[in-house]
Amino acid sequence: MSEEHIPFIFTKSNSSEVEEKAIALRDEMLKRRSLRFFSEEEVSKETIEALLKVASSAPSGANKQPWTFVAISNPELKKRIRAAAEKEEQSFYGGRASDTWLADLAPLGTDWQKPFLETAPWIVVVFKKSLDYDGSKNYYVQESVGIACGFLIAAIHQAGLVTLTHTPSPMNFLSEILERPANEKPYLLLPIGFPAANATVPNIKKKDASEVLFYFE
Ligand code: IYR
């Protein structure tokens, strides 16, 4: 990799354009919801590849890009992933989760059943690499992969699709089913597609700015 710096190509907007864009982006991103009910309508491979290029463009510790994305549309594989995920979820909801955790999940109306793992046209599984294939260490892996997933979730919404940040736990079954090397650990699973015609979402609210945002001016 070159240590030389090269000119940065930047198209400058004036400050009122910047403000307009920020506000339009806020209004659009506030419409994003995590979806659990997907339509079977297809999404092209080109679409998924474009979205994953956005994710893969995220900043990462020492530019190590410590992630791998596996995109699955194969129905047999989706079926196996659903069966394995539901097995873990059954033990989670059936006793492994604390009462407090289950009470916190109650407003979301979730349970062990994960039909979206079969109905969504694509499932993307994100893997993190704390060590690279040659055994060398990556940096800020948790942060880097989290940022890449944030890029992906925003890109999915901007493209007019929906997703869910799904974390079946434990997720080791994904390494086996998807035959990933030992240095890659499953990080997040995202079904991607269109919402079902009758899709619903939990009636929950984001915190107000006054609770999460503090200024020193
Ligand atoms: N993995 C389980 C439980 C779950 C946990 C959290 I934290 C959530 O925000 C939602 C669900 C499941 O997917 O149902």
Side-chain angles (χ1 to χ4, degrees):
M1 207 185 308
S2 166
E3 287 171 30
E4 211 179 285
H5 274 221
I6 54 171
F8 176 52
I9 311 300
F10 183 74
T11 312
K12 191 171 185 308
S13 310
N14 66 41
S15 62
S16 64
E17 286 167 345
V18 169
E19 189 172 314
E20 245 173 62
K21 284 198 265 190
I23 288 170
L25 182 60
R26 175 199 66 194
D27 290 343
E28 185 51 44
M29 288 304 294
L30 287 179
K31 295 183 200 154
R32 187 204 58 79
R33 294 298 308 258
S34 293
L35 255 290
R36 293 181 174 81
F37 306 101
F38 284 75
S39 140
E40 289 185 357
E41 186 175 339
E42 280 183 20
V43 169
S44 72
K45 185 177 178 180
E46 288 68 26
T47 303
I48 296 299
E49 189 148 333
L51 296 172
L52 292 174
K53 279 295 264 189
V54 175
S56 202
S57 76
S60 62
N63 191 33
K64 294 286 185 179
Q65 305 165 55
W67 46 63
T68 309
F69 302 96
V70 180
I72 304 129
S73 64
N74 179 290
E76 277 311 308
L77 220 43
K78 287 197 292 181
K79 194 177 194 159
R80 281 177 63 198
I81 290 171
R82 176 183 178 182
E86 287 185 334
K87 197 169 154 219
E88 299 295 358
E89 298 293 352
Q90 260 174 322
S91 79
F92 175 85
Y93 286 95
R96 193 155 44 79
S98 65
D99 289 346
T100 316
W101 196 344
L102 291 178
D104 280 337
L105 292 179
L108 306 180
T110 56
D111 61 27
W112 64 270
Q113 297 184 79
K114 306 297 171 193
F116 54 77
L117 293 174
E118 272 189 273
T119 43
W122 290 93
I123 297 176
V124 167
V125 182
V126 184
F127 290 84
K128 65 173 181 183
K129 297 187 285 190
S130 293
L131 296 179
D132 228 300
Y133 304 116
D134 61 1
S136 64
K137 207 178 131 359
N138 289 328
Y139 310 97
Y140 296 101
V141 170
Q142 229 16 49
E143 292 83 349
S144 301
V145 183
I147 293 166
C149 289
F151 271 42
L152 179 56
I153 293 162
I156 290 167
H157 177 73
Q158 291 288 320
L161 296 169
V162 295
T163 188
L164 172 71
T165 46
H166 181 46
T167 50
S169 160
M171 294 203 262
N172 314 345
F173 69 86
L174 292 166
S175 304
E176 285 159 39
I177 294 177
L178 302 173
E179 300 174 5
R180 299 314 303 167
N183 66 316
E184 295 185 15
K185 304 291 177 214
Y187 180 87
L188 192 64
L189 187 163
L190 300 116
I192 304 175
F194 290 97
N198 58 352
T200 57
V201 289
N203 186 14
I204 51 173
K205 298 268 173 296
K206 295 297 176 190
K207 288 180 180 168
D208 191 72
S210 64
E211 288 184 81
V212 296
L213 183 52
F214 302 92
Y215 290 104
F216 289 93
E217 289 181 275

